Amino acid sequence: SSTTTNTSSTVPSFSSINNPFAEENVKTLLELADRFNMKTATDQCEDWLRGTRKVAVTAKFEIADKFQLPLLFVGRLPLE
């Protein structure tokens, strides 16, 4: 008899992962979100960038400019 594995219960949804972001992949996530018009993913990347100290401020400015993230620095200038 063959066994079918239901992977949907073992693969967490994008929103349920505590920290799906890392400096290495946030640009890729933003590129995909832009390409496929996924506003929620863009918002989550922007929120992560606002709160992290793992990405240099200069890199954050470059990312904000490239991906048009006007809220990245609203209200504060994150310290490194």
Side-chain angles (χ1 to χ4, degrees):
S1 79
S2 70
T3 304
T4 304
T5 304
N6 182 357
T7 58
S8 64
S9 64
T10 60
V11 177
S13 69
F14 185 77
S15 62
S16 71
I17 300 172
N18 288 335
N19 190 4
F21 308 102
E23 182 176 356
E24 303 85 40
N25 68 8
V26 72
K27 288 181 185 178
T28 301
L29 289 170
L30 284 165
E31 287 170 1
L32 291 170
D34 183 55
R35 174 185 256 174
F36 296 106
N37 197 24
M38 298 186 307
K39 176 84 170 107
T40 301
T42 299
D43 292 346
Q44 288 182 357
C45 289
E46 189 171 23
D47 288 346
W48 181 81
L49 283 166
R50 282 179 60 104
T52 190
R53 292 183 173 201
K54 295 179 180 182
V55 178
V57 173
T58 54
K60 288 182 182 185
F61 276 113
E62 291 170 4
I63 292 168
D65 183 52
K66 180 176 181 177
F67 296 101
Q68 301 171 359
L69 304 176
L71 300 178
L72 189 57
F73 294 108
V74 170
R76 66 180 173 170
L77 184 62
L79 303 174
E80 291 195 46

